[in-house]
């Protein structure tokens, strides 16, 4: 569980019946385990019967739970709220977009997400620092090292073919030369990596050639940066795989040949099945025809089945896979990471594999090898969760703050509800919590 002390204590000792395998590389659980957190880092992980005196550490009884690493949302859009009108919200003012980000940060941390990979934000004049660039870049810099914000890696704004998305939302290129120029401009502005958009105005053709994308990949790699690409259609997926981008986002249409090529070229995949889950729910919760009509529901059902097949092809080929919600830039919300883990299990992954996609494998995609793992000496980011083989309760049960500090906040976040339900009882939380 995330370590938070009370009173004069600067350490926390957690006692649990189950601890996930230290890197979630197998289905094995370590039973009867204690974890000592000191100054925000894991001091040790030991069998309960052989633990040493933890001194004045606050003791948390996590019996009956499984401690897992803090989660990584590998596909998020912090400056947008999500929901059934997600694209429209991209036209809101910069001040409103930053307010959405503050709210989303709270939702993420309350639902157990410790790292967020922001893969596209509207560009404009940041009302805080006055700079014209993707708004996510300023957020990353201002939030760095501050609790309770998630740690961020940001891509700047989307680089798209002109006419793909509403004008003004993205960096739009008409030619391959402009594609390269706008992609590198994101790095000049301070982005950590580049996000290309390989769906285009013509659904039957990828907007860029393999050669076009290869030029961007080579230029980015020369500057030590990675390139990821949105690809919801098979034609874009094939271009991405052949061009050797570092990662494909969504991958709703992947065939067996493309999956094999992705594995050979070490192209990772970030799944966002939660998007389609949310679309299916909109058939009951909105009056929007594309979600409520029979034709719309049938189309979403077909896309869902195709997306599941795509995950299975990628999994069978051995493609590195991370998990993301696509909240904000898609229809999901910031606290629905558990929905994605559940969906990966539906697609055929073992529960421990699905959780790996939301922890240490996502950390590898971030180039942060210590993220999403439980190791002595590493930064603390722990979650106590009731153990169920399907992990259906990952996002709905008690989650604890992820830092040592002055108080312990016990939060309940419903991962099917965009608003968290929060209870705070500081007097008892400073002492012992029984899971």
């Amino acid at each position: 569980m995330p370590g938070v002390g009370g009173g004069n204590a600067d350490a926390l000792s957690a006692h649990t019946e189950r601890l996930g395998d230290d890197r979630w590389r197998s289905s094995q659980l370590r039973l009867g385990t204690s974890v000592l957190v000191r100054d925000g880092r894991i001091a040790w992980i030991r069998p309960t019967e052989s633990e040493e005196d933890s001194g004045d550490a606050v003791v948390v009884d996590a019996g009956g739970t499984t401690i897992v690493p803090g989660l990584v949302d590998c596909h998020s859009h912090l400056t947008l709220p999500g929901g059934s009108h997600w694209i429209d919200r991209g036209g809101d003012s910069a001040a409103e977009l930053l307010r959405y980000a503050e709210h989303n940060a709270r939702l993420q941390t309350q639902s157990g997400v410790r790292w967020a990979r922001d893969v596209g934000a509207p560009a404009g004049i940041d009302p805080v620092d006055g700079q014209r660039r993707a708004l996510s870049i300023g957020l990353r810099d201002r939030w760095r090292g501050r609790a309770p914000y998630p740690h961020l890696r940001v891509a700047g704004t989307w680089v798209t073919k002109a006419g793909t998305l509403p004008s003004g939302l993205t960096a739009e290129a008409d030619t391959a030369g402009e594609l390269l120029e706008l992609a590198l401009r994101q790095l000049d502005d301070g982005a950590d990596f580049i996000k290309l958009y390989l769906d285009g105005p013509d659904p039957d053709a990828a907007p860029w050639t393999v050669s076009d994308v290869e030029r961007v990949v080579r230029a980015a790699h020369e500057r030590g940066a990675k390139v990821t690409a949105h690809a919801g259609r098979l034609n874009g997926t094939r271009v991405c795989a052949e061009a050797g981008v570092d990662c494909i986002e969504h991958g709703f249409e992947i065939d067996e040949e493309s999956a094999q090529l992705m594995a050979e070229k070490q192209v990772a995949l970030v799944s966002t099945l939660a998007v389609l889950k949310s679309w299916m729910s909109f058939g009951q919760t909105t009056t929007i025809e594309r979600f409520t009509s029979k034709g719309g529901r049938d189309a979403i059902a077909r896309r869902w089945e195709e997306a599941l097949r795509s995950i299975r092809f990628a999994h069978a080929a051995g493609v590195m896979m991370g998990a993301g919600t696509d909240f904000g830039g898609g229809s999901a919300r910031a606290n629905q990471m558990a929905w994605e883990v559940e969906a990966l299990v539906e697609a055929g992954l073992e529960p421990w594999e699905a959780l790996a996609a939301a922890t240490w494998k996502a950390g590898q995609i971030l180039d942060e090898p210590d993220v999403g793992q439980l190791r002595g000496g590493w930064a603390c980011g722990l979650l106590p969760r009731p153990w169920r083989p399907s992990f259906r309760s990952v996002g709905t049960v008690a989650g604890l703050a992820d830092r040592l500090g002055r108080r312990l906040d016990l939060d309940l976040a419903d991962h099917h509800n965009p608003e968290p339900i929060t209870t705070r009882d500081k007097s008892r939380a400073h002492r012992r919590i029984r899971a």
Side-chain angles (χ1 to χ4, degrees):
M1 81 216 52
V4 180
N8 296 320
D10 63 354
L12 177 145
S13 179
H15 306 270
T16 183
E17 294 178 3
R18 303 180 183 91
L19 181 80
D21 174 85
D22 63 353
R23 297 186 73 178
W24 289 93
R25 295 181 183 271
S26 77
S27 60
Q28 299 302 308
L29 294 174
R30 294 169 57 179
L31 305 181
T33 302
S34 293
V35 180
L36 180 67
V37 177
R38 191 182 302 278
D39 296 327
R41 306 192 77 81
I42 299 173
W44 49 251
I45 302 172
R46 297 178 181 174
T48 300
E49 65 269 15
S50 62
E51 68 180 55
E52 64 185 41
D53 183 10
S54 55
D56 62 354
V58 173
V59 177
V60 175
D61 182 352
T65 69
T66 302
I67 292 180
V68 302
L71 304 179
V72 181
D73 189 338
C74 226
H75 189 118
S76 59
H77 301 271
L78 277 146
T79 55
L80 296 165
S84 57
H85 299 280
W86 72 94
I87 293 178
D88 296 341
R89 299 281 64 76
D92 291 346
S93 70
E96 287 176 300
L97 297 177
L98 294 185
R99 284 196 292 271
Y100 297 148
E102 293 288 330
H103 181 64
N104 287 333
R106 292 194 298 273
L107 292 182
Q108 280 198 314
T109 54
Q110 289 168 352
S111 63
V113 172
R114 302 296 177 252
W115 279 84
R117 180 171 169 265
D118 190 291
V119 289
I125 297 176
D126 189 319
V128 177
D129 59 28
Q131 295 193 54
R132 180 181 290 277
R133 58 185 179 180
L135 296 174
S136 56
I137 297 173
L139 288 174
R140 177 203 60 199
D141 296 343
R142 292 191 289 272
W143 290 359
R144 184 178 287 118
R146 294 178 59 196
Y149 294 105
H151 306 287
L152 296 186
R153 289 287 182 272
V154 302
T157 197
W158 309 261
V159 184
T160 66
K161 182 77 169 183
T164 301
L165 292 174
S167 179
L169 180 61
T170 68
E172 295 183 297
D174 284 306
T175 67
E178 290 179 352
L179 174 70
L180 178 61
E181 177 187 352
L182 291 173
L184 295 181
R185 185 178 300 170
Q186 305 314 305
L187 300 182
D188 293 339
D189 285 344
D192 299 305
F193 60 101
I194 292 168
K195 167 73 174 294
L196 303 181
Y197 213 87
L198 263 292
D199 289 351
D202 181 358
D204 296 322
W208 308 108
T209 67
V210 173
S211 177
D212 296 338
V213 176
E214 283 178 334
R215 289 180 64 201
V216 176
V217 172
R218 283 196 301 269
H221 287 181
E222 287 173 0
R223 295 180 58 168
K226 287 186 172 183
V227 177
T228 195
H230 168 116
R233 303 173 187 140
L234 182 57
N235 50 44
T237 297
R238 287 173 172 164
V239 169
C240 290
E242 291 181 28
V245 301
D246 297 288
C247 187
I248 291 175
E249 310 295 317
H250 309 295
F252 291 150
E253 295 181 10
I254 300 175
D255 59 14
E256 191 169 7
E257 181 181 354
S258 297
Q260 291 292 340
L261 188 57
M262 289 171 65
E264 290 170 12
K265 294 202 171 188
Q266 297 184 317
V267 177
L269 171 67
V270 172
S271 70
T272 60
L273 296 173
V275 171
L276 302 179
K277 284 281 195 181
S278 68
W279 288 3
M280 288 186 273
S281 75
F282 292 160
Q284 297 176 311
T285 60
T286 76
T287 59
I288 301 172
E289 186 175 2
R290 64 175 291 200
F291 303 122
T292 60
S293 68
K294 183 180 186 305
R297 293 196 304 271
D298 289 346
I300 293 169
R302 288 192 298 271
R303 199 165 191 191
W304 169 250
E305 292 302 322
E306 181 63 36
L308 294 182
R309 281 193 295 272
S310 298
I311 293 294
R312 290 167 191 146
F313 281 136
H315 182 241
V319 173
M320 170 67 74
M321 196 177 303
T325 59
D326 193 21
F327 84 81
S331 50
R333 301 286 186 172
N335 59 354
Q336 293 178 330
M337 190 65 197
W339 222 356
E340 188 63 28
V341 177
E342 293 173 8
L344 286 172
V345 175
E346 288 187 57
L349 274 66
E350 292 295 324
W352 64 269
E353 293 177 303
L355 191 56
T359 53
W360 72 268
K361 288 190 176 182
Q364 290 199 352
I365 292 172
L366 286 171
D367 283 332
E368 293 286 348
D370 61 342
V371 167
Q373 301 189 43
L374 304 179
R375 293 286 185 88
W378 288 9
C380 175
L382 316 177
L383 302 171
R385 297 304 193 203
W387 173 260
R388 295 185 185 179
S390 69
F391 283 107
R392 289 192 59 81
S393 57
V394 165
T396 59
V397 297
L400 307 179
D402 71 329
R403 61 190 174 88
L404 287 171
R406 292 298 181 187
R407 71 177 187 274
L408 180 61
D409 294 335
L410 181 60
D411 301 311
L412 302 179
D414 182 348
H415 73 286
H416 291 295
N417 184 334
E419 299 294 335
I421 306 168
T422 303
T423 61
R424 305 183 188 278
D425 184 345
K426 299 179 180 62
S427 62
R428 288 188 297 168
H430 281 166
R431 296 175 176 81
R432 182 182 293 270
I433 295 178
R434 295 189 176 277

